[in-house]
Structure formats: structure tokens, C-alpha cells
Amino acid sequence: MSQTEPDEQELEEQLELSTDTRGILERHNLRPLWEVEDDFGNTIDDLEADIWKWEDIQAAIDGVEDDVPIADLPPGFQRRVAVPINASFGNAISNTIYVGVQTVSPGETAPAHRHGANALRFTIDGSEDMKTVVAGEEFPMADNDLITTPQWEWHDHVNDSDETAAWLDVLDLPLVLDSLNARNTFENHELERQPVTKTQGYWGSQYGQGRPEGASKDKDIPGPFEGIREATPPHRFKWSEMLKSLRQRAENANPDPYDGYSLSYVNPATGSPPLFPTMSFRAQLLQEATDEHFHNTTEVYFVVEGEGATHVDGEALEWGERDIFVVPPDATHHHEPEDEEAILLGMTDRPVFEAMNFYAEASPSS
Ligand SMILES: [Fe+2]
Ligand SMILES: [Fe+2]
């Protein structure tokens, strides 16, 4: 630095305001920037790395399921969910992405509602008879299937199987509710279950190899999903198909240095990632240790298969199947599968940073 910065007391003496000026400022709710600039960027603490082990989550969701039927939950979201809380943030795993582990017992329904936040389900324990109903269509939830819930679209969860179903809910709730303060975007349906008005596979079929005449990427011509404009359509990404694509990639392409063999889930309406305007998701097959990097975005992970460790600023988060962990912004990290391979579901708030032209990434070695 070429100049010596004045200390705080010197600054106050140099910049002392007259009593008159101070009075005018105070009467009209004005403050000099130099007195408030240090307040910016300090309203929340820095996010820290953290991990939740599946055996602990399992014990928690089993206990909550035994103690509380969904029907007894108070009005509101009416979902039976155990929510990983990052102690450095306070009410979710991060300040942008929320994850929760939801259960629905055999014969139970999680009632229909809708909200402005983007949402998806990633099935942990599911079956063809566990269904999430979205925009009039029943979507079966087989293990590791990912099902989108468009913004402001009705959805309810119905367990017609004889086993408890569990899945990961992922939403941009902290961003929507805490940062944007968009609180009036929630509504309960008048019925517990919305009417099923579409045949199974309808929404996916309209965004597959054929589309109805007139539907295009042109923003003035709506796609087959007539919900809120430009919301991600309802879609079931079958894990069996994602896994085949991932294996094809491993056999025919080079791994990404930082994420292994990695495929991003696409928005069916555009054919490109990100899946949502606020969150992007990828399936990652790791066959060897990745290189270190860091970025100004947050990454949340769910371990689909295998064991290993993710090293975050020198701390090893040792993970096994179904564990959930978070890598905070600007932390140097790399992944290391323990055995031959591991598969992760990677979730990131990167689309928000890219929309603001604000994304930055680097490798310590570069
Ligand atoms: Fe919901
Ligand atoms: Fe990363």
C-alpha cells in the first residue's frame, strides 16, 4: 500500500461533522457512508464446512416418524422433515441452498401445496408406489430418481407402498426467504390431494424427442408446460438412465479435473443446465482423487454410492453412502474416493453467481 491508512480515531477527528450537520442527518435517517460501510457483508457469519452422517440422520428420521404423524403437523409446510442445520448459518445447511430429509409412512399423504421457491426430490428409499404428484401427474420415486417441482406448481406426496419412503428435498429457500425476503409465495391446496389429470409420463414425453408444434425456446411461445413462465417443467430423471449416461462418459471421455466424470442435470425446456435458475445439480462418478480448486459458490453433496473423503481447507470430511456435506465458498477442496469408485450428487448455487456475472473459480496450483 502506498499510503498509510489513518486509524479509526484519526479518521473520526478528520471527518468530524458539525452539530448542525449531524442533526440534519439524524432527523432524516441518513448516515455518512464511512460510518456504515463496515456493516456491509457482516450480516451473516462465514459459512463453514460440515457433514451429517447417514446413521445419525436415519436415527433422527425414524424417531420423528414414530413420534409425529404428518396429519398432526401444524398448518404451514406440513412436511415431516429432518433439516441439517449448519451451526455457522443457523437455519439451513447454507445461506442459499436448503436440504431436508423427508419421510412419508405407508398410507400417508403430505398434503398439496405450492410455493415460489424451486424444489426437487432426490429419492433415498423409494419405490414405484411412492409418488410425488406434480402438475396433475403422478411421478413414481424409485431410488436415486430426481424429480423437479416447478415454481408455483401444486405438489403432494402419496405413499401407496408398504415401506416408509425417504428422500432429499432441495430448495432455494434461504435465498428466497432470507435474502430476497419473498415471503408471500406459499399456498395450501383446498384438497389434501390434488386431482390427477395427466397420464404417467406425460410431462417428460413432451420434453423428450418430440415437442408440440409451436413450442420453442422463443420466450414468446410457451412450451407444453403452461405453469409460471420459464419455470423448470415437472420432470422425473430416472437414476437408471443417469447412471448409464455416467458410465458411458467414464468409458469414452476424460474426467473433469475437479469433479470427476460429471454430468449436469438439464432443464428439460432448454436442454441445458442449470436445472433451476438458482441451483445446478450434477451426478459425479469419482474413480480417482480430483485436483484442488476453490470458487466463490457453495457446494452441497449427497453421497449416492461409495466411501471417501472431501478435503476442505485441510480438514477431511470422511463420508459414506447417504451422508450429506457442505463445502463453503472460497474453501480449497478436492475429493478422494476410498475404493475403486464413488458417486456423488453435487448441488451448487453457481447459477445465481453467473446471473450476476460474479462467478470466480481458481486452482491453488495455477
Ligand atoms: Fe413444497
Ligand atoms: Fe468445487
Side-chain angles (χ1 to χ4, degrees):
M1 210 180 291
S2 57
Q3 286 181 313
T4 315
E5 282 190 16
D7 68 23
E8 213 171 306
Q9 195 172 351
E10 278 174 345
L11 194 68
E12 269 180 32
E13 283 166 12
Q14 281 171 25
L15 300 175
E16 194 174 345
L17 296 167
S18 70
T19 311
D20 281 356
T21 306
R22 175 66 67 191
I24 293 167
L25 286 162
E26 286 179 1
R27 276 199 302 282
H28 300 289
N29 291 330
L30 294 162
R31 293 283 303 279
L33 174 60
W34 62 87
E35 290 184 7
V36 296
E37 63 191 17
D38 288 346
D39 296 343
F40 297 123
N42 289 319
T43 49
I44 56 173
D45 291 337
D46 287 346
L47 199 68
E48 289 177 13
D50 212 340
I51 184 164
W52 289 260
K53 304 298 289 179
W54 176 251
E55 60 181 20
D56 301 329
I57 299 169
Q58 175 93 69
I61 59 174
D62 286 351
V64 174
E65 184 191 3
D66 287 345
D67 294 351
V68 182
I70 296 173
D72 286 1
L73 289 170
F77 277 97
Q78 288 185 293
R79 299 293 191 254
R80 186 173 52 220
V81 183
V83 182
I85 303 292
N86 190 320
S88 66
F89 175 56
N91 65 359
I93 199 167
S94 82
N95 55 300
T96 50
I97 297 172
Y98 157 104
V99 300
V101 182
Q102 179 167 176
T103 57
V104 177
S105 307
E108 272 190 319
T109 294
H113 70 202
R114 61 181 181 175
H115 39 70
N118 292 281
L120 67 71
R121 329 283 150 207
F122 190 84
T123 315
I124 298 172
D125 276 320
S127 74
E128 292 291 319
D129 292 323
M130 174 64 229
K131 292 158 200 150
T132 188
V133 187
V134 187
E137 180 181 333
E138 293 179 319
F139 291 84
M141 302 172 74
D143 289 359
N144 300 330
D145 283 355
L146 185 156
I147 294 154
T148 60
T149 303
Q151 290 169 277
W152 206 238
E153 192 53 65
W154 300 115
H155 53 283
D156 43 284
H157 313 303
V158 180
N159 190 351
D160 289 332
S161 79
D162 47 19
E163 302 275 344
T164 295
W167 62 85
L168 208 60
D169 289 314
V170 188
L171 291 89
D172 48 16
L173 276 182
L175 182 73
V176 170
L177 295 183
D178 293 319
S179 294
L180 302 179
N181 208 23
R183 292 186 187 160
N184 297 322
T185 58
F186 176 86
E187 188 179 9
N188 280 310
H189 200 286
E190 57 186 4
L191 302 172
E192 185 182 47
R193 295 185 179 191
Q194 67 178 295
V196 175
T197 56
K198 303 283 189 291
T199 53
Q200 265 183 36
Y202 172 68
W203 288 123
S205 73
Q206 303 306 290
Y207 288 94
Q209 299 191 53
R211 290 197 190 188
E213 195 72 26
S216 78
K217 288 184 190 172
D218 185 331
K219 288 179 183 168
D220 294 327
I221 304 174
F225 174 59
E226 293 172 357
I228 192 171
R229 196 175 183 189
E230 293 188 66
T232 303
H235 199 82
R236 176 189 184 189
F237 293 88
K238 288 186 185 173
W239 181 249
S240 54
E241 291 172 16
M242 199 57 169
L243 190 58
K244 262 188 236 164
S245 303
L246 212 47
R247 297 233 170 269
Q248 286 277 12
R249 182 136 196 99
E251 277 173 34
N252 296 286
N254 294 320
D256 178 274
Y258 310 112
D259 293 313
Y261 298 103
S262 176
L263 289 176
S264 292
Y265 288 83
V266 302
N267 178 339
T270 63
S272 304
L275 184 57
F276 294 119
T278 51
M279 300 179 289
S280 192
F281 297 82
R282 51 180 190 252
Q284 298 177 223
L285 172 63
L286 306 173
Q287 292 183 339
E288 55 190 22
T290 60
D291 293 343
E292 288 187 322
H293 77 160
F294 57 92
H295 34 68
N296 54 357
T297 48
T298 297
E299 284 175 336
V300 177
Y301 289 93
F302 174 75
V303 182
V304 180
E305 272 180 46
E307 294 182 349
T310 295
H311 302 267
V312 184
D313 280 341
E315 178 194 355
L317 300 177
E318 290 181 5
W319 40 256
E321 204 168 296
R322 300 179 163 190
D323 292 351
I324 298 168
F325 61 97
V326 57
V327 177
D330 302 321
T332 299
H333 59 280
H334 74 282
H335 308 295
E336 195 176 7
E338 192 171 288
D339 298 316
E340 294 219 324
E341 64 173 38
I343 299 177
L344 304 178
L345 174 72
M347 305 166 248
T348 167
D349 55 7
R350 180 170 164 172
V352 180
F353 285 70
E354 289 185 327
M356 296 193 301
N357 210 13
F358 207 58
Y359 179 66
E361 173 184 349
S363 164
S365 56
S366 62

